[in-house]
Amino acid sequence: MNNRYELNKNLAQMLKGGVIMDVTTPEQARIAQKAGACAVMALERIPADIRTAGGVSRMSDPKMIKSIQEAVTIPVMAKVRIGHFTEAQILEAIEIDYVDESEVLSPADDTFHIDKTQFQVPFVCGAKDLGEALRRISEGASMIRTKGEPGTGDVVQAVRHMRMINQQMRKLQNLREDELFQAAKDLQVSYDLVKYVHQNGKLPVVNFAAGGIATPADAALMMQLGAEGVFVGSGIFKSGDPERRAQAIVKAVTNFNDAKLLAELSEDLGEAMVGINEQEIEVLMALRGE
Amino acid sequence: MRRKIGILAIQGAFAEHASMLSALNVEVIEIRQKSHLENIELDGIILPGGESTVMGKLLRELDMFYPLKKLIEDGLPVLGTCAGLILLAKEVINDNECHLATMDISIKRNAYGRQLGSFQVNHEFKYLGEIPMTFIRAPYINSISNEGEILAIVDNNIVAARQNNMLVTSFHPELTTDLSVHKYFLDMI
């Protein structure tokens, strides 16, 4: 693809090993930056509150996003509804650093995702499995994250999705060359992308973990499972001591293999967000947009 | 003996630098903690791209800040790319916070604006000829002391410079396949 796509993939590379935090106000954005976030996701309501509020959830007010852009020097991301390319045009107009075409918001299109190749700004999209990840990449996503189950504080689905993507990549690596054509059909993706994964054993873009990460241990778990960084949504500002928890999660991502340090980081964090088990929730956001 | 180069690996694009160094037959040591700086005799260190606010903060909190600053002040060859350049600068004109502050340069962060301002060019680099340069939300050098040497200027802004043991670029040589900046760095050792 074009040079802009390379530059957009490159920005995601700079975020690796970092934590991207959901924030709803300039004040929270400043706290996140101070705590060591490598980027912030500006949104009006964090996923846990979207669940509580119900109804249709949309792109945030551009004025609120701009106030967050002014408050921090790190990249600012914001969410649009799946398929809502006009919301994406609006975010591009205010020079957002990354658009998240997100299942956290109510989908605007139940068939088509945004044709992200038509944009200059980069897109990150969620995926539960390799087919979804590669479909989003062929639509122009320059970064992938697991869907997990946002706003729950329950890491089980992020784990499931990360394991699934990695297992499917290992399977592709082990196929014979002449078996890749059928694999492309099964995954409903292009042969070229299947061949890339077969040869390289990884996605052609950066892959983060997201959805339900609430503790330093959760974040380190996702990193040990192969995530290149993490998104933390409701987990920080729904907890007892956001600043302290944010700092601990940042350090846990950097030293995800050092159990002794993780033990220290996990001490005295105050109350974690109250979790909801996947069996208890009514809306499964991960099922939006396949 | 193979040379040992440390790469600060607390956040950002450190793996990309590692693969460049491996291609040049150099042993790579990932530096994530203070003990990694103290227990290994390094021939040089790379401060990679990423977010300088994150790296600056983690350097302090993981007690690596002063040991690293001292190594550089004592002459350890260092290559700083993008965020790495910011970490080494003595002055950041649009930010109150400085980090290692070992190099006599004054720089501007996010000097080309947001991601839409990111770009790639092929441009002249002193001693190396024309090389690809990828700028991602990049800083540039506003001014440099007489002790420093300017190595590349793009659109009237200084984007690469050297001062004694310190080499900095505001672009990312590690995002291309061109090894010449890394070779130049290894020649400094």
Side-chain angles (χ1 to χ4, degrees), chain A residues 12-19 38 143-144 162 166 169 202-209 219 222-231 253 256, chain B residues 11-12 14-16:
Chain A
Q13 286 172 276
M14 294 305 138
L15 302 175
K16 285 191 297 183
V19 182
C38 68
M143 179 178 184
I144 292 293
M162 187 57 74
N166 289 333
M169 288 201 290
K202 61 187 190 73
L203 295 177
V205 304
V206 166
N207 185 19
F208 269 47
M222 296 313 301
M223 293 298 287
Q224 290 192 31
L225 285 172
E228 297 182 281
V230 301
F231 285 82
V253 166
F256 59 89
Chain B
Q11 193 269 324
F14 47 85
E16 288 76 357

Side-chain angles (χ1 to χ4, degrees), chain A residues 83-286:
Chain A
H84 206 314
F85 51 85
T86 304
E87 285 186 346
Q89 289 161 359
I90 290 169
L91 290 186
E92 183 168 67
I94 61 167
E95 298 199 17
I96 201 76
D97 290 303
Y98 243 96
V99 177
D100 184 0
E101 187 183 17
S102 178
E103 68 283 359
V104 168
L105 306 182
S106 311
D109 192 315
D110 52 13
T111 310
F112 300 104
H113 278 73
I114 297 172
D115 176 2
K116 294 164 275 287
T117 64
Q118 300 302 308
F119 288 80
Q120 299 290 307
V121 287
F123 281 75
V124 54
C125 289
K128 304 193 292 299
D129 55 44
L130 184 60
E132 270 186 48
L134 295 179
R135 284 194 291 280
R136 297 298 85 78
I137 291 166
S138 59
E139 292 157 5
S142 44
M143 179 178 184
I144 292 293
R145 54 172 175 75
T146 61
K147 284 180 166 174
E149 193 53 32
T152 60
D154 187 356
V155 80
V156 64
Q157 305 200 47
V159 168
R160 190 184 296 153
H161 301 161
M162 187 57 74
R163 279 193 186 274
M164 176 61 78
I165 291 171
N166 289 333
Q167 271 172 20
Q168 289 177 308
M169 288 201 290
R170 288 195 296 272
K171 270 184 202 155
L172 278 191
Q173 272 186 288
N174 286 331
L175 292 182
R176 281 165 51 101
E177 295 260 332
D178 60 2
E179 293 166 343
L180 297 177
F181 299 98
Q182 184 59 39
K185 281 187 222 161
D186 293 341
L187 289 168
Q188 300 176 51
V189 298
S190 78
Y191 169 75
D192 288 343
L193 283 172
V194 166
K195 194 160 179 203
Y196 180 91
V197 174
H198 173 69
Q199 285 173 342
N200 297 281
K202 61 187 190 73
L203 295 177
V205 304
V206 166
N207 185 19
F208 269 47
I213 295 160
T215 67
D218 288 349
L221 172 71
M222 296 313 301
M223 293 298 287
Q224 290 192 31
L225 285 172
E228 297 182 281
V230 301
F231 285 82
V232 185
S234 319
I236 289 174
F237 289 100
K238 274 280 155 191
S239 72
D241 187 345
E243 199 165 344
R244 200 177 157 89
R245 182 167 295 266
Q247 291 188 20
I249 292 177
V250 168
K251 280 189 233 166
V253 166
T254 296
N255 280 293
F256 59 89
N257 270 325
D258 183 342
K260 210 173 144 211
L261 183 67
L262 294 175
E264 283 169 31
L265 295 173
S266 303
E267 281 181 15
D268 281 332
L269 290 181
E271 215 165 313
M273 72 175 286
V274 181
I276 338 168
N277 294 314
E278 62 173 330
Q279 294 80 8
E280 299 167 353
I281 49 183
E282 286 171 16
V283 181
L284 271 177
M285 292 174 174

Side-chain angles (χ1 to χ4, degrees), chain B residues 13-14 38 51 53 57-58 63-64 70 85 95 99 120 126 139-141 157 162 181 184:
Chain B
F14 47 85
E38 289 168 340
E51 279 302 318
T53 51
K57 180 190 161 60
L58 286 169
D63 296 327
M64 297 161 76
K70 179 148 195 320
L85 173 154
D95 199 338
H99 301 284
Q120 207 217 357
K126 198 172 176 184
Y140 61 62
I141 300 170
N157 299 313
R162 175 178 176 179
V181 172
Y184 180 83

Side-chain angles (χ1 to χ4, degrees), chain B residues 39-86:
Chain B
N39 301 341
I40 303 161
E41 189 84 6
L42 295 173
D43 296 309
I45 189 163
I46 294 181
L47 311 179
E51 279 302 318
S52 61
T53 51
V54 180
M55 288 192 242
K57 180 190 161 60
L58 286 169
L59 279 175
R60 289 176 178 89
E61 290 184 356
L62 298 167
D63 296 327
M64 297 161 76
F65 188 87
Y66 290 104
L68 178 60
K69 186 175 161 76
K70 179 148 195 320
L71 283 173
I72 295 169
E73 283 169 348
D74 290 348
L76 181 71
V78 57
L79 165 62
T81 61
C82 194
L85 173 154
I86 298 169

Side-chain angles (χ1 to χ4, degrees), chain A residues 3-4 7-8 10 13-16 34-38 69 73-75 95 97 251 254-255 258, chain B residues 10-12 16 32-33 50-51 53-54 57-58 61 109-110 114-116 118 120 134 136-137 172:
Chain A
N3 183 247
R4 183 50 56 183
L7 293 168
N8 287 342
N10 289 159
Q13 286 172 276
M14 294 305 138
L15 302 175
K16 285 191 297 183
K34 203 161 150 256
C38 68
Q69 286 176 317
T73 58
I74 53 179
E95 298 199 17
D97 290 303
K251 280 189 233 166
T254 296
N255 280 293
D258 183 342
Chain B
I10 50 181
Q11 193 269 324
E16 288 76 357
R32 291 170 186 271
Q33 298 180 0
E51 279 302 318
T53 51
V54 180
K57 180 190 161 60
L58 286 169
E61 290 184 356
R109 277 188 71 193
N110 296 338
R114 301 185 183 283
Q115 173 62 5
L116 285 174
S118 294
Q120 207 217 357
T134 301
I136 304 293
R137 297 177 92 253
H172 294 277

Side-chain angles (χ1 to χ4, degrees), chain A residues 43-58 79 104-106 285 288:
Chain A
L43 70 177
E44 264 159 16
R45 275 202 291 248
I46 55 175
D49 291 336
I50 291 174
R51 281 188 186 284
T52 317
V56 175
S57 165
R58 310 176 181 89
K79 291 181 192 293
V104 168
L105 306 182
S106 311
M285 292 174 174
R288 293 168 168 175

